[in-house]
Amino acid sequence: MKQLLCTCPFVPVEWIFAHGFICKRSVPFFKNLGSVESMGCCPLAQAFLDEIISTRLPAIFSSTCDQMRRAADVAKAKGLNVFIINVPTTISEESVKYFRSELLRLSLWLESLGGKRPTNKELRACIEKFNDARSLVLDSQPYVSGSFFMNSVMNLAAETETGIIKKKNCVFGSDQATRVPLAILGGHTSQAHFGLINEIEKAGGRIVLNALSFGNRVLIPKIIIGENEDIVYGIAKHYMENIRDVFMRPNDRFYSWLTKEIKTKKVKGAILATHVWCDLWRGEIQTMKEILKIPLLDITFGTESFPLNQTINRCQSFLEMMQ
Amino acid sequence: MISNACKFDLVSADLAFDSLRSSQKNLSWYIRPLGEYLRNDNDLILQEIDFDNSWASIWLWNFLLSENERLRSARNKGEKIIGCMKDLGTIPVMAYSLENVRAFYPDGTWWTPCVMKLSDGLFFVSTTQGCDISFCPVRAMLGAFINEEHFPIPDLLICSTGAVCDDFSAISQRLYWLGYDIKWWEVPRRRCAEFHEESVELPSGLIVPRIQVDFIKSELKRVFKILRNFSRSADSDIRLLSDGIRKANQIRRMIMHLRNLIFSSRRCPLPALEELIMEMMATHFCSDREECLLILKALTEEVERRISLGQSVLSEDCPKVYLVNPVSDIRMMNLIEDCGLRVCGTDFMFTHALELIPEDIDPFDALARMVLSDPMVGPAEDRCKHIIREALKYRVDAVVIVRIPGASHCAWECKSMSEKLKAILRIPVLDVEVPTLVDSIESTLKSRLEAISEIVHASKSI
């Protein structure tokens, strides 16, 4: 299988996989943000751009935020091999059709990279494969660490090959009842999120609901497409109807899902961990406070790859408050 | 009274008001000495700027500063107020095609903290809503919706989404959660048509895929259906829109003509600040299409008169600069000229609102093409091409790129545009952030602008 880079969880991974590509999820370290060096640029978008430059892998950007859209423009202008896919922000019959057309365009690009347009049978097999992978990952969540879970979501394709259950790391199996059930919220996942989740677990918390870009909110329900249905349309529709992200307009679907999950998983507190200049998520702080009705800790990462001491202290205090 | 072109301050403007007014007939009800806006509305910035000394410009300023009052007056007469958001130029064309409807952009509130020198408290209110200093000044709009002390709260809000800046998108979403019923419509990121796709040429010359035009067309049809519920117009969609497009084009033609006169004449017939306000009228006619037309006529007559008499508001040898992005503090427009530069070309992020809308095709198709011509929905490279074309046309000596603090697009595109413009035009390019109030960095800004002037003068003398 060939590799390509893609950070957006709403570009159907089964569609890419069916063309013979594995989506390498980029969760970069912020080493040398040299691509733009500009105040106001999202550090993740910069780091993603730097990763494309350093790996020279083809990459897919999506239009779900202005920062990534602009980073994609810079990548194109630099002559890098990137594809920019429009993921609509509104749901209608027309926008689903438009997303379908974008998937077909993506197919041509993948073919130009040496990929092969799948037959319906191959595509259906891929859909099944990823349906199973998502179920496996979701089922494993209570038994694995937060970082392990996030890694599994990132590498869905690999999980289907090896079987996640075999890799279960049961460190959290015994003391779950005593840990504070928390939710982590935010946009694109970074290394700092991994570090933060580890620190939360060290302090006696447990992420039972991961609403980052590689967490529960992107583990969409099973894709079921009827025998005579247009499969690409079916994928487009299913994805669009199950995007649980703040960029959708309006974004009530995200909150419906979130409040339901918080209730089901008995979440006691939420940590919103976003990156500086991420307006789409930062603009939701007040709404989250009003809707979630549980304690909310607001953390902003800069360009650090590991959470700073003061961030860890705040998390510890937050947990102490709820223990 | 006809005098030589020059700039004057607020005190002089008010002193001259009566004599300027004496030669005018049928004055509009809202026209008054500009000082009244300072005293009644706390528009403190007016004390610190220089105005063009023509009656046409005083009228223009009145038109701008009285907008909220005029909107309230229209509502009192039973008209419906439509708040258009973000698209800057398309939805108002549709709205003004209908009777009993008046459209404006609440987005325009982004200048209020500047005009009122932060005495409005709008940034403070928006910060309490989670939209802090990391957002662009358009967050003032959120505050204005909450404190209801500025524009009248619209009867309907129509907001474009998709390929829009994150700041605006997040703020509009917050408004939704505050209970405002926003009708969103989608604009995909513009891209070039690929070889296998049916394509359409935009008025700007860009070639886009037909599928994008069709998608936006369907969105606009949906929006127009909503708008029609607010109007008693009985005519067919096509007839109403065609007429609306024709009238919008009348204004666009006049603005483009004026721009061309101002930027291409040997002497500068109108200051940059008034030129900026004049261009802004293209987006929604400053809430009154008919009055907008009259003001544009008055401005055109004044500019033509000055050109024929060889009058100028600046000295003749000022280096010409192209200005990219609107300035957060309007005093910057004065400052550029105070530093010996002349603005001869502008891209205030709504160049699509200046282009003529095709009149010989389906009106929805025509408007969809205008939406896709928006410089902000496509790559910065396309925007650069437009700037280069205009910079060459007006033979500018330098480019000034103004960054808007906190704006997601500026952070990315300004550097790349700056590099590209330098490489292609081979002229100095100044890339500078301008805050809502320039006071704290005025001397730095001045030094940098003066440096541009000196560099150009020096290169011309070699």
Side-chain angles (χ1 to χ4, degrees), chain B residues 197-217:
Chain B
E197 292 179 301
E198 190 189 337
S199 62
V200 172
E201 185 174 352
L202 301 181
S204 55
L206 294 164
I207 310 287
V208 297
R210 162 54 71 187
I211 192 167
Q212 288 202 321
V213 177
D214 287 345
F215 176 59
I216 295 171
K217 208 169 133 179

Side-chain angles (χ1 to χ4, degrees), chain B residues 158-173:
Chain B
I158 298 173
C159 183
S160 62
T161 182
V164 298
C165 58
D166 292 339
D167 313 69
F168 201 94
S169 183
I171 291 164
S172 64
Q173 182 58 55

Side-chain angles (χ1 to χ4, degrees), chain A residues 52-259:
Chain A
I52 301 168
I53 294 168
S54 63
T55 60
R56 290 278 147 188
L57 283 173
I60 301 173
F61 281 90
S62 79
S63 60
T64 57
C65 75
D66 198 28
Q67 293 273 1
M68 278 293 179
R69 181 163 70 93
R70 301 284 172 183
D73 290 342
V74 172
K76 276 229 158 185
K78 284 180 186 289
L80 300 169
N81 194 358
V82 297
F83 182 86
I84 309 166
I85 186 167
N86 259 302
V87 179
T89 58
T90 53
I91 298 183
S92 66
E93 182 59 27
E94 294 302 320
S95 66
V96 171
K97 279 186 197 161
Y98 187 75
F99 190 39
R100 177 189 178 273
S101 75
E102 285 292 279
L103 294 182
L104 293 176
R105 202 167 61 82
L106 173 61
S107 173
L108 291 176
W109 181 72
L110 293 171
E111 282 183 71
S112 76
L113 297 177
K116 184 181 157 285
R117 176 86 177 262
T119 61
N120 281 356
K121 196 179 165 193
E122 287 165 341
L123 190 51
R124 281 182 191 278
C126 270
I127 290 170
E128 278 307 306
K129 188 184 179 78
F130 282 89
N131 278 346
D132 292 347
R134 287 190 193 98
S135 296
L136 277 169
V137 172
L138 205 53
D139 291 346
S140 75
Q141 192 176 12
Y143 311 105
V144 297
S145 71
S147 309
F148 191 95
F149 172 70
M150 215 149 56
N151 256 319
S152 306
V153 179
M154 282 166 56
N155 301 305
L156 277 180
E159 298 309 335
T160 63
E161 302 297 325
T162 56
I164 192 163
I165 303 297
K166 286 180 204 159
K167 293 198 293 183
K168 257 188 212 169
N169 163 3
C170 295
V171 286
F172 294 99
S174 52
D175 63 346
Q176 276 199 61
T178 60
R179 290 177 170 271
V180 180
L182 295 175
I184 187 163
L185 319 170
H188 289 294
T189 311
S190 74
Q191 287 297 334
H193 284 117
F194 277 91
L196 185 69
I197 288 173
N198 290 340
E199 292 299 334
I200 289 167
E201 286 170 348
K202 270 191 222 163
R206 171 155 181 74
I207 302 297
V208 292
L209 179 61
N210 184 324
L212 297 172
S213 67
F214 297 122
N216 298 75
R217 71 179 170 86
V218 302
L219 291 175
I220 57 170
K222 272 192 174 177
I223 303 178
I224 299 164
I225 298 169
E227 267 307 300
N228 300 318
E229 268 185 78
D230 175 333
I231 306 180
V232 187
Y233 178 83
I235 294 174
K237 187 165 186 270
H238 189 83
Y239 262 83
M240 292 261 347
E241 286 177 349
N242 288 288
I243 292 177
R244 298 172 291 218
D245 200 299
V246 296
F247 75 85
M248 295 299 281
R249 292 293 169 264
N251 61 17
D252 353 32
R253 199 180 293 255
F254 167 72
Y255 284 102
S256 304
W257 172 80
L258 191 60
T259 46

Side-chain angles (χ1 to χ4, degrees), chain B residues 102-123:
Chain B
R102 204 165 281 257
F104 80 108
Y105 282 99
D107 321 22
T109 317
W110 88 297
W111 262 313
T112 303
C114 160
V115 172
M116 296 180 72
K117 292 206 78 175
L118 302 182
S119 64
D120 49 279
L122 291 176
F123 285 161

Side-chain angles (χ1 to χ4, degrees), chain B residues 261-321:
Chain B
L261 281 178
I262 295 165
F263 297 154
S264 58
S265 72
R266 216 179 108 218
R267 298 181 178 89
C268 179
L270 195 74
L273 183 49
E274 279 75 12
E275 198 281 332
L276 161 69
I277 301 169
M278 180 275 290
E279 273 197 41
M280 272 160 45
M281 294 205 292
T283 59
H284 68 288
F285 324 124
C286 206
S287 303
D288 188 335
R289 195 175 53 188
E290 281 66 39
E291 187 83 354
C292 173
L293 205 56
L294 295 175
I295 294 172
L296 287 171
K297 274 182 190 158
L299 277 170
T300 309
E301 280 168 18
E302 182 63 28
V303 165
E304 284 172 344
R305 185 186 71 80
R306 287 176 175 183
I307 291 172
S308 69
L309 293 173
Q311 291 184 2
S312 176
V313 288
L314 301 174
S315 64
E316 256 183 63
D317 61 344
C318 289
K320 296 176 177 180
V321 296

Side-chain angles (χ1 to χ4, degrees), chain B residues 221-379:
Chain B
K221 281 185 177 172
R222 187 167 59 81
V223 170
F224 198 57
K225 207 170 164 188
I226 299 168
L227 279 171
R228 287 207 68 153
N229 293 333
F230 278 80
S231 164
R232 42 176 184 250
S233 307
D235 227 333
S236 74
D237 283 3
I238 302 293
R239 203 190 293 260
L240 285 168
L241 271 183
S242 301
D243 191 46
I245 287 174
R246 193 178 49 75
K247 286 177 178 160
N249 275 344
Q250 202 180 353
I251 285 175
R252 291 178 181 210
R253 247 181 231 110
M254 290 194 77
I255 292 176
M256 284 305 276
H257 174 62
L258 250 175
R259 258 181 118 244
N260 202 37
L261 281 178
I262 295 165
F263 297 154
S264 58
S265 72
R266 216 179 108 218
R267 298 181 178 89
C268 179
L270 195 74
L273 183 49
E274 279 75 12
E275 198 281 332
L276 161 69
I277 301 169
M278 180 275 290
E279 273 197 41
M280 272 160 45
M281 294 205 292
T283 59
H284 68 288
F285 324 124
C286 206
S287 303
D288 188 335
R289 195 175 53 188
E290 281 66 39
E291 187 83 354
C292 173
L293 205 56
L294 295 175
I295 294 172
L296 287 171
K297 274 182 190 158
L299 277 170
T300 309
E301 280 168 18
E302 182 63 28
V303 165
E304 284 172 344
R305 185 186 71 80
R306 287 176 175 183
I307 291 172
S308 69
L309 293 173
Q311 291 184 2
S312 176
V313 288
L314 301 174
S315 64
E316 256 183 63
D317 61 344
C318 289
K320 296 176 177 180
V321 296
Y322 193 97
L323 189 59
V324 181
N325 290 338
V327 287
S328 307
D329 185 340
I330 54 174
R331 284 175 297 177
M332 178 71 177
M333 303 306 280
N334 278 173
L335 198 62
I336 290 171
E337 293 179 336
D338 293 345
C339 293
L341 301 167
R342 175 184 169 190
V343 174
C344 273
T346 53
D347 173 343
F348 292 132
M349 288 167 39
F350 52 78
T351 50
H352 60 301
L354 304 175
E355 281 164 10
L356 291 182
I357 310 164
E359 292 183 36
D360 54 350
I361 55 173
D362 169 72
F364 286 106
D365 202 302
L367 289 171
R369 294 179 193 204
M370 300 320 293
V371 171
L372 279 172
S373 295
D374 184 341
M376 306 313 290
V377 307

